[in-house]
């Protein structure tokens, strides 16, 4: 393709500039600007060409204050993520055509541009700039949800993002001090053990871990995403965590600890999602679960596993956006996504129901849907690496995904107890989702099916060379057995009333530690610091006051130094001072 802009001009800047312009335009014009900037950006990206395996193209290379900067690095790993981010940006522009606020629309384009810029960054300094821009733009999207809870959630979200940025900056400085370079390449040395990492690499890993929502630092995701608007949640689901997955794949592929961490990430959200009443929060936990598959694959580190991580990130961006879009449509029409307040919506929202089921089948990895193509790649990589425990955990997590996202989301939102039967509840049935939302969901659903039926198009984007066939008898039979038994388990649990009921409730996660005892400890520390400072300040005031009083006593209008002196005493004092000066000059010379 012909390059329409200078090669050193990043596609990310097109979206960022478009986002800035959109903030000053009326809705009709900013929608057109949004579409145009996404199209121009992806055309500019594809014009770089698609490098071969192991090849990379570098643009925007320069030296800045002694630092070698590479603003754009195009290789197969950065390309597959950048293409996925452009698809997400396009879907979000269409989905928010009528309902995105000026702030959400503007920040959404900037957010997408920051994610693409970070993915294309060839050095840590450029990555840091886009890393922080993504954090800053996304927090406005959380706040755009409106209300005090969204503001507080946004503040907590921002704290996590700032800590991540500080860790990345500190790691960058330490890495430059020890190596003299800020190039962004693999930090793995030796056997791939965590103990072999340098202190700088550990700090950078912590920065990536926070944005990837590792266990114990994951709750910013479940806290903030459901607080955003219907449009904002779809925006948030696509970029931050997948940018972190990209950086992990770039910098820490083959790190053994990631296998264990990934397994934990896939397993624990299953239990939280099953008992959660807010369906958007269920999807947030499900997002955590899906990230675990990618992190585990990065830890395995083989070409097949890394292809699985990249492919899973690609399809996950699409089908997770589809699920969040369907719940967003429900929120727009009903004002809630609480399972205890929904049901029966398939009668008046049939298109949204169908699209949600397609997203559910994709995330559950049914054959002929996109999730199957990518997820089986990761389980196969674990099997080939003889990681039996990891393989079993991934199978359990796959069954759990079906339970909470594949079945629970569409069942309780669109079927189950009919909350909108006029003869029973008296509530009018909500209308179908607005046309732009239907179009966006339709496009995402088409991609979920297209990739599942024609996986060769996704395989052509693979970042590493590895043999893989998605539709083998072993893959299909194993997955279908798993899915059918999971469906049977759900049916039996519901039949015998053993499935966790959908009740209005607040489920505690590890964020309770800093929301309750952590907040008490913080406020105690604040009060203690204030008390100490109060005592120190009054001590300083007392000392300074006494000193001033003493000076006033001797030098004030009534002090001894202010009284009249005789000529003789003055002459004697002057002679003494001169004598001291003469002695000082004599001895110093």
């Amino acid at each position: 393709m012909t390059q329409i802009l200078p090669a050193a001009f990043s596609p990310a800047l097109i979206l960022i500039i478009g986002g800035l312009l959109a903030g000053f335009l009326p809705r009709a014009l900013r929608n057109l600007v949004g579409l145009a900037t996404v199209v121009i950006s992806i055309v500019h990206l594809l014009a770089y060409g698609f490098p071969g395996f192991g090849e990379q193209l570098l643009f925007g290379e320069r030296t800045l204050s002694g630092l070698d900067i590479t603003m754009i690095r195009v290789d197969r790993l950065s390309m597959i993520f950048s293409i996925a981010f452009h698809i997400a940006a396009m879907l979000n522009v269409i989905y928010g055509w009528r309902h995105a606020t000026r702030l959400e629309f503007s920040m959404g384009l900037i957010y997408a541009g920051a994610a693409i810029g970070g993915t294309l960054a060839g050095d840590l300094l450029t990555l840091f700039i886009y890393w922080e821009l993504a954090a800053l733009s996304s927090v406005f999207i959380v706040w755009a949800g409106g209300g005090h809870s969204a503001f507080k959630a946004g503040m907590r979200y921002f704290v996590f993002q700032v800590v991540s940025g500080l860790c990345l900056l500190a790691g960058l400085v330490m890495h430059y001090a020890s190596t003299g370079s800020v190039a962004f390449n693999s930090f793995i040395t030796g056997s791939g053990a965590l103990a072999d990492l340098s202190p700088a690499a550990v700090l950078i890993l912590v920065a990536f871990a926070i944005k990837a929502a590792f266990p114990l630092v994951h709750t910013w995701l479940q806290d903030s995403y459901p607080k955003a608007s219907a449009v904002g949640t779809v925006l948030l689901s696509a970029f931050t965590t997948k940018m972190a997955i990209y950086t992990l794949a770039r910098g820490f592929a083959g790190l053994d600890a990631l296998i264990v961490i990934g397994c934990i990430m896939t397993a624990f959200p299953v239990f939280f999602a099953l008992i959660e009443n807010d369906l958007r929060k269920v999807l947030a936990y499900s997002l955590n679960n899906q990230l675990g598959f990618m992190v585990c694959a990065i830890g395995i580190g083989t070409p097949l596993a890394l292809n699985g991580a990249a492919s899973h990130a690609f399809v996950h961006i699409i089908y997770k956006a589809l699920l969040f879009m369907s719940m967003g449509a429900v929120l727009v029409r009903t004002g809630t996504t609480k399972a205890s307040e929904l049901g029966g919506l398939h009668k008046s929202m049939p298109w949204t129901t169908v699209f949600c089921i397609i997203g559910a089948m994709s995330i559950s990895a049914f054959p002929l849907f996109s999730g199957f193509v990518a997820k089986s790649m990761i389980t196969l990589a674990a099997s080939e690496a003889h990681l039996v425990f990891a393989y079993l955990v991934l199978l359990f997590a796959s069954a759990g995904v079906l339970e909470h996202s594949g079945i629970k989301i569409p069942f309780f939102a669109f079927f189950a107890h009919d909350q909108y039967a006029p003869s029973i509840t008296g509530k009018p049935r909500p209308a179908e989702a607005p046309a732009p939302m239907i179009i966006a969901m339709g496009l995402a659903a088409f991609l979920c099916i297209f990739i599942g039926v024609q996986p060769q198009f996704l395989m052509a984007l693979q970042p590493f060379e590895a043999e893989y066939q998605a539709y083998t008898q072993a893959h299909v039979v194993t997955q279908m057995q798993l899915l059918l038994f999971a469906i049977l388990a759900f049916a039996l649990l519901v039949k015998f009333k053993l499935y966790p009921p959908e009740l209005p409730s607040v489920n505690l996660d590890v964020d309770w530690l800093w929301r309750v005892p952590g907040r008490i400890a913080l406020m105690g520390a604040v009060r203690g610091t204030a008390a100490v400072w109060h005592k120190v300040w009054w001590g300083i005031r007392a000392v300074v006051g006494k000193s001033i009083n003493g000076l006033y006593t001797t030098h004030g209008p009534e002090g001894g130094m202010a009284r009249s002196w005789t000529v003789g005493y003055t002459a004697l004092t002057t002679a003494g001072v001169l004598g001291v000066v003469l002695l000082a000059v004599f001895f110093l010379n």
Side-chain angles (χ1 to χ4, degrees):
M1 295 179 65
T2 304
Q3 201 86 44
I4 58 176
L5 290 169
F9 191 83
S10 175
L13 296 178
I14 300 172
L15 286 169
I16 293 170
I17 293 171
L20 293 173
L21 289 175
F24 299 96
L25 299 174
R27 183 179 299 277
L29 283 179
R30 68 171 176 261
N31 286 337
L32 294 176
V33 167
L35 284 178
T37 53
V38 176
V39 171
I40 294 171
S41 180
I42 194 167
V43 169
H44 184 46
L45 174 72
L46 296 176
Y48 289 125
F50 211 78
F53 294 111
E55 297 179 355
Q56 62 179 12
L57 305 172
L58 305 178
F59 304 97
E61 295 179 280
R62 62 194 65 186
T63 300
L64 181 64
S65 300
L67 302 176
D68 294 327
I69 303 300
T70 305
M71 297 183 65
I72 303 171
R73 170 177 49 198
V74 179
D75 62 6
R76 297 182 72 90
L77 183 61
S78 61
M79 280 293 285
I80 188 171
F81 278 88
S82 296
I83 291 172
F85 288 153
H86 277 94
I87 293 173
M90 179 63 75
L91 291 174
N92 277 291
V93 168
I94 298 171
Y95 186 76
W97 196 267
R98 291 184 189 171
H99 289 82
T101 64
R102 184 187 302 273
L103 181 64
E104 284 176 323
F105 198 95
S106 175
M107 290 297 112
L109 287 175
I110 295 172
Y111 184 29
I116 293 166
T119 302
L120 293 173
D123 63 89
L124 291 170
L125 183 58
T126 303
L127 173 65
F128 171 75
I129 293 170
Y130 285 118
W131 196 261
E132 293 299 274
L133 182 59
L136 184 61
S137 55
S138 58
V139 75
F140 283 102
I141 296 172
V142 178
W143 285 335
H148 188 60
S149 61
F151 175 76
K152 291 174 68 176
M155 291 300 296
R156 291 189 290 269
Y157 171 90
F158 195 49
V159 167
F160 276 99
Q161 303 303 310
V162 168
V163 171
S164 173
L166 289 174
C167 289
L168 178 57
L169 180 60
L172 184 163
V173 172
M174 292 174 63
H175 183 71
Y176 177 73
S178 60
T179 66
S181 171
V182 293
F184 181 26
N185 296 306
S186 177
F187 298 101
I188 299 297
T189 57
S191 62
L194 187 63
D196 293 335
L197 295 180
S198 66
V202 170
L203 277 172
I204 294 171
L205 176 61
V206 170
F208 297 167
I210 292 173
K211 286 210 175 187
F214 276 23
L216 302 182
V217 291
H218 65 279
T219 53
W220 60 264
L221 196 156
Q222 289 79 26
D223 181 27
S224 59
Y225 284 18
K227 302 294 194 311
S229 71
V231 175
T233 304
V234 180
L235 278 166
L236 293 167
S237 70
F239 301 113
T240 295
T241 52
K242 279 11 137 284
M243 181 166 61
I245 291 297
Y246 164 79
T247 56
L248 285 170
R250 173 74 68 186
F252 296 96
L255 183 64
D256 293 343
L258 295 182
I259 300 175
V260 178
I261 294 170
C263 287
I264 296 171
M265 290 176 70
T266 62
F268 84 85
V270 171
F271 303 100
F272 284 98
L274 287 175
I275 62 174
E276 179 57 51
N277 186 41
D278 187 336
L279 296 182
R280 290 205 298 171
K281 199 166 184 180
V282 171
L283 289 176
Y285 275 114
S286 172
L287 200 161
N288 234 158
N289 161 276
Q290 297 294 290
L291 293 172
F293 281 88
M294 304 172 210
V295 171
C296 185
I298 293 168
I300 295 171
T302 61
L304 178 61
L306 294 174
N307 283 349
S311 299
H312 198 56
F314 188 98
V315 299
H316 177 263
I317 286 172
I318 299 170
Y319 65 61
K320 184 62 72 174
L322 176 56
L323 288 168
F324 271 118
M325 283 192 285
S326 65
M327 290 300 100
V330 169
L331 179 65
V332 167
R333 288 310 193 199
T334 68
T336 183
T337 54
K338 300 293 178 63
S340 57
E341 301 173 17
L342 296 174
L345 292 175
H346 71 282
K347 296 179 180 179
S348 58
M349 302 182 72
W351 283 110
T352 304
T353 304
V354 170
F355 294 143
C356 181
I357 291 173
I358 291 173
M361 295 184 77
S362 297
I363 196 173
S364 302
F366 274 87
L368 302 181
F369 291 86
S370 59
F372 174 80
V373 175
K375 194 174 291 184
S376 58
M377 205 181 303
I378 297 174
T379 54
L380 177 62
S383 175
E384 289 185 351
H386 306 291
L387 298 169
V388 178
F389 177 75
Y391 179 77
L392 294 175
V393 171
L394 293 178
L395 286 183
F396 164 77
S398 297
V401 170
L402 176 63
E403 295 291 347
H404 60 68
S405 290
I407 299 177
K408 178 174 180 173
I409 295 291
F411 179 72
F412 286 106
F414 300 101
F415 302 97
H417 30 71
D418 192 347
Q419 297 281 7
Y420 296 92
S423 60
I424 300 174
T425 64
K427 296 179 183 178
R429 291 199 179 277
E432 180 57 277
M437 291 186 173
I438 291 291
I439 293 171
M441 288 189 284
L443 290 173
F446 168 78
L447 289 173
C448 288
I449 297 173
F450 179 77
I451 293 171
V453 175
Q454 300 290 337
Q456 65 271 21
F457 290 96
L458 179 62
M459 297 301 104
L461 299 177
Q462 298 305 294
F464 301 98
E465 192 169 10
E467 290 293 327
Y468 172 72
Q469 290 293 327
Y471 289 102
T472 64
Q473 183 178 356
H475 290 169
V476 174
V477 170
T478 300
Q479 187 65 14
M480 286 307 299
Q481 287 176 334
L482 181 71
L483 294 172
L484 290 175
F485 276 109
I487 293 171
L488 177 62
F490 177 84
L492 292 175
L493 289 172
V494 172
K495 174 69 175 177
F496 294 105
K497 302 186 184 304
L498 297 175
Y499 194 86
E502 305 308 305
L503 299 173
S505 59
V506 176
N507 296 320
L508 299 181
D509 205 333
V510 294
D511 59 343
W512 178 85
L513 295 173
W514 53 80
R515 286 202 188 196
V516 181
R519 185 173 182 275
I520 293 172
L522 176 62
M523 297 310 296
V526 170
R527 285 192 293 269
T529 303
V532 170
W533 173 246
H534 183 75
K535 290 183 178 180
V536 170
W537 172 247
W538 281 103
I540 293 173
R541 286 191 61 177
V543 171
V544 171
K546 289 180 180 179
S547 301
I548 293 174
N549 289 336
L551 290 172
Y552 186 84
T553 301
T554 57
H555 293 77
E558 306 297 331
M561 298 300 292
R563 65 182 175 84
S564 300
W565 294 75
T566 62
V567 175
Y569 188 84
T570 301
L572 181 62
T573 302
T574 304
V577 170
L578 289 173
V580 171
V581 171
L582 289 172
L583 289 172
V585 172
F586 176 78
F587 286 111
L588 288 175
N589 290 333

